[in-house]
Amino acid sequence: MAAQRLITPPKLRRGTLRTVALGGLGEVGRNMTVFEIGGKLLIVDCGVLFPEEEQPGVDLILPDFSYIENRLDDVVGLVLTHGHEDHIGAVPYLLRKKPDIPLIGSTLTLAFIEAKLTEHRIKPYTLEVKEGDVEDFGPFQCEFVAVNHSIPDALAVFIRTEAGSVLHTGDFKMDQLPLDGRITDLRHFAKLGEEGVDLFLTDSTNADVPGFTTPEKEIGPTLDQLFGTSNRRIIVASFSSHVHRVQQVLNAAHAHNRKVAFVGRSMVRNMGIASKLGFLDVPEGILVDMKKVDNYPDSEVVLMSTGSQGEPMAALSRMANGDHPIQVGQGDTVILASSLIPGNENAVFRVINGLLKLGTDVIHKGTAKVHVSGHASAGELLYCYNIVKPKNVMPVHGETRHLIANGKLAEDTGVPSDRVILADDGTVVDLHQGVAQIVGQVECGYVYVDGSSIGEITDNDLKDRRVLGEEGFISVVVVVNRQTGKIISGPDIHARGVAEEDQVFKDIKPKISRALTEAIQDNKEHTTHQLQQIVRRTMGSWVARKLRRKPMIVPVVVET
């Protein structure tokens, strides 16, 4: 059942549908899947992954577009299942390569991505669709299905081809009491199941969680209680696209006569869009500009902020560091209304600790019911398998543990184990005559965004950054006479972040001089690079033995 590392995939056979996930398998984020048949490509989602601590300086991580980079003219469309960053965040970077790729999605999803693309000065070609719509894109016919998620207007997509059909759920859950009354359309799923689903791509994020995901409505009473007992300002942190959570905050604030200010550029932008399109019901007079909150008593203010994942530059992190126009303090209540994305735990706990030191009360999922997941738990996935009755299953959207748990659920409902495809990013899966199987693997690495740099930062660069951050830096400068082999100047040794004073290096200086002199006298053909490597090895072994450290060592040998 486990995915394998295989050779380059064979040429695509006629009447075969190829599926390649370029992100979202083995990770929570960077969701992107490419379907190919008849020489044409259809893409579903194009999201980002947020960096972890071992990726210092990285802003975002993109899917690896190299698999399709030379075939962008063959792309007939990019279907966006919903408006979360892990599904739409990489669209601007793909459209930089070919701006006229058609974007297909629901009203809210397209509005979010169009606003994002405006910042990148890209005007996209879009096609707005809704549940029940059927559209043809080259050899692909797409039918759209309503699904419930933590953002309104989410869609699953059913893809018909001559090789068979695929049902891709996107992110979804089966909340039976959703805030907007829009449930996952299981009748539509059943209808598609009767038609025949040859390959089922299912959201795996909560596959290892037993039972059913808690309804969103259960959060309302908790927020109401917290708003009723707080005597000072309330700061609620959430994803900037979590319209349902913002709606609940607006409702609670209205019930307790509080004003609400949106904090964070993306929060202001997204909620403005959601309100304009009717997906967010804003009570009249409740919103105030962040700059005017000081005009109201603390007991009448709610701040709706970004930064629930501990992002360093987001509003809540800056508040915790005292580096934000809004100063939080004694008696304020901070509510983290989101779950932890794997890898962000330490960053979030740092923010919580910073807020607690300032005297705030911090409420989070671990202490009160202030967040529920947007993903189907095991019980809901079992329902879906029994309704859809797929011939082949490929779990998507999750870490390896989530994909494996989802695969086992499929087997429990009768899907043969050899028809459950556990794949990695870049795994090539071909559907032919009703059977899906792994046929190869394509290159699919991380593409890092660091400021204006895209894809120029490598894993080796990140390793160097980690070494600099954890072990420090030592430079060694030596001037040598190539002809005599004598040291003219140095070694001059300077250290940063090593904790020891520079005089600790006096014992190693003669050893470096001796190693260089002997090397030049033995072989005057040594290149400058080879001499620098001698300095590096001599210095490195001494530091490792004497100081028990492995800092970055930068040797500079100047010849005269």
Side-chain angles (χ1 to χ4, degrees):
M1 234 173 92
Q4 304 173 46
R5 286 285 172 189
L6 298 178
I7 59 172
T8 302
K11 185 177 178 181
L12 186 58
R13 292 177 290 178
R14 188 177 183 86
T16 300
L17 175 66
R18 177 160 289 178
T19 303
V20 183
L22 300 183
L25 303 188
E27 61 205 358
V28 177
R30 212 169 63 123
N31 300 292
M32 181 177 182
T33 309
V34 178
F35 298 94
E36 178 181 359
I37 194 169
K40 298 298 181 182
L41 306 175
L42 178 73
I43 303 171
V44 175
D45 289 330
C46 187
V48 295
L49 178 67
F50 295 102
E52 299 183 11
E53 286 190 334
E54 62 266 25
Q55 293 152 336
V58 173
D59 299 319
L60 298 170
I61 304 171
L62 307 179
D64 188 346
F65 300 140
S66 57
Y67 173 64
I68 60 171
E69 201 153 19
N70 296 325
R71 299 192 55 194
L72 293 179
D73 288 340
D74 296 331
V75 178
V76 296
L78 168 52
V79 174
L80 302 171
T81 59
H82 63 282
H84 280 152
E85 285 295 300
D86 57 336
H87 290 257
I88 68 170
V91 172
Y93 301 95
L94 180 62
L95 263 54
R96 285 184 188 182
K97 300 178 182 293
K98 193 172 191 298
D100 61 348
I101 294 174
L103 304 183
I104 303 109
S106 66
T107 302
L108 184 64
T109 303
L110 289 181
F112 276 4
I113 190 58
E114 284 171 341
K116 180 181 290 290
L117 288 169
T118 298
E119 296 179 359
H120 289 259
R121 298 179 181 176
I122 298 173
K123 182 158 181 62
Y125 291 85
T126 61
L127 174 66
E128 187 176 304
V129 294
K130 62 182 183 302
E131 52 264 35
D133 286 355
V134 179
E135 298 285 349
D136 290 328
F137 307 101
F140 305 92
Q141 184 182 79
C142 294
E143 183 171 341
F144 299 92
V145 185
V147 292
N148 175 248
H149 187 38
S150 55
I151 185 173
D153 226 15
L155 295 169
V157 58
F158 184 64
I159 305 168
R160 296 182 180 92
T161 72
E162 63 171 307
S165 58
V166 178
L167 178 55
H168 192 311
T169 66
D171 285 353
F172 83 110
K173 60 178 176 177
M174 289 164 50
D175 191 337
Q176 298 303 297
L177 299 170
L179 298 181
D180 58 3
R182 186 174 178 270
I183 62 173
T184 293
D185 193 344
L186 297 181
R187 294 176 64 186
H188 201 156
F189 273 19
K191 176 186 167 189
L192 298 175
E194 290 174 4
E195 178 180 328
V197 175
D198 296 294
L199 182 59
F200 193 25
L201 274 62
T202 50
D203 177 13
S204 305
T205 310
N206 266 6
D208 60 347
V209 178
F212 291 75
T213 301
T214 305
E216 293 275 351
K217 280 195 172 180
E218 293 195 15
I219 292 174
T222 303
L223 290 177
D224 188 68
Q225 187 264 331
L226 290 170
F227 278 44
T229 55
S230 176
N231 297 320
R232 286 181 53 82
R233 286 181 302 179
I234 298 172
I235 300 95
V236 184
S238 180
F239 293 116
S240 63
S241 55
H242 202 332
V243 179
H244 292 325
R245 193 68 69 249
V246 175
Q247 184 67 68
Q248 290 172 308
V249 170
L250 290 174
N251 293 345
H254 183 61
H256 292 275
N257 299 313
R258 285 178 177 259
K259 301 292 185 182
V260 177
F262 293 140
V263 184
R265 187 167 56 94
S266 57
M267 180 70 74
V268 172
R269 181 192 67 201
N270 288 344
M271 292 310 115
I273 292 169
S275 174
K276 182 179 179 181
L277 294 175
F279 291 98
L280 184 69
D281 180 19
V282 181
E284 187 173 351
I286 196 171
L287 292 182
V288 296
D289 189 280
M290 184 191 81
K291 297 175 183 176
K292 297 181 179 178
V293 294
D294 289 339
N295 296 340
Y296 297 89
D298 287 345
S299 59
E300 296 179 12
V301 171
V302 178
L303 303 170
M304 189 73 224
S305 168
T306 57
S308 62
Q309 297 302 309
E311 307 96 308
M313 296 308 295
L316 190 66
S317 296
R318 293 171 57 203
M319 290 180 203
N321 293 330
D323 183 31
H324 194 276
I326 292 172
Q327 299 292 311
V328 298
Q330 194 71 37
D332 290 340
T333 299
V334 176
I335 302 172
L336 294 173
S338 69
S339 58
L340 287 178
I341 293 177
N344 290 354
E345 294 89 348
N346 290 339
V348 173
F349 292 138
R350 268 198 301 272
V351 171
I352 291 174
N353 289 331
L355 292 167
L356 290 171
K357 284 181 180 179
L358 294 173
T360 67
D361 295 322
V362 180
I363 311 295
H364 54 83
K365 186 180 177 182
T367 58
K369 192 174 288 185
V370 291
H371 177 72
V372 298
S373 176
H375 303 271
S377 296
E380 293 151 90
L381 292 172
L382 288 171
Y383 262 85
C384 286
Y385 285 128
N386 284 327
I387 290 170
V388 173
K389 296 191 179 303
K391 295 176 184 174
N392 302 271
V393 170
M394 179 176 163
V396 294
H397 303 173
E399 296 182 352
T400 301
R401 59 195 172 97
H402 303 133
L403 304 181
I404 291 173
N406 199 354
K408 287 180 178 176
L409 293 174
E411 289 184 33
D412 289 344
T413 62
V415 180
S417 60
D418 61 347
R419 298 293 185 91
V420 176
I421 308 296
L422 290 185
D424 298 316
D425 290 339
T427 299
V428 180
V429 178
D430 280 0
L431 175 67
H432 183 71
Q433 295 182 346
V435 177
Q437 57 184 166
I438 296 174
V439 298
Q441 185 82 21
V442 298
E443 188 64 34
C444 192
Y446 280 0
V447 177
Y448 300 109
V449 177
D450 184 357
S452 60
S453 167
I454 302 169
E456 296 175 16
I457 302 298
T458 66
D459 286 332
N460 285 335
D461 294 325
L462 295 182
K463 181 179 178 182
D464 288 345
R465 291 180 180 184
R466 289 194 295 271
V467 170
L468 283 169
E470 297 166 6
E471 300 289 344
F473 166 92
I474 297 175
S475 67
V476 184
V477 181
V478 188
V479 181
V480 300
N481 186 308
R482 167 74 70 172
Q483 299 304 318
T484 64
K486 291 184 177 180
I487 306 295
I488 305 299
S489 174
D492 292 325
I493 301 175
H494 299 282
R496 292 291 182 272
V498 180
E500 281 78 12
E501 299 292 334
D502 285 352
Q503 59 261 31
V504 79
F505 300 111
K506 67 180 185 300
D507 293 340
I508 186 59
K509 290 184 178 182
K511 295 180 182 179
I512 293 173
S513 299
R514 187 163 54 251
L516 275 178
T517 302
E518 291 175 355
I520 295 172
Q521 290 174 349
D522 289 345
N523 182 3
K524 285 191 166 52
E525 302 302 317
H526 274 312
T527 65
T528 302
H529 175 71
Q530 288 171 326
L531 295 177
Q532 289 177 164
Q533 291 303 101
I534 290 169
V535 174
R536 187 194 303 277
R537 286 194 297 270
T538 306
M539 186 75 200
S541 60
W542 182 85
V543 171
R545 186 179 65 256
K546 183 80 173 177
L547 304 182
R548 296 288 190 270
R549 298 181 71 88
K550 293 183 179 179
M552 177 179 288
I553 297 171
V554 179
V556 179
V557 175
V558 180
E559 298 182 42
T560 62

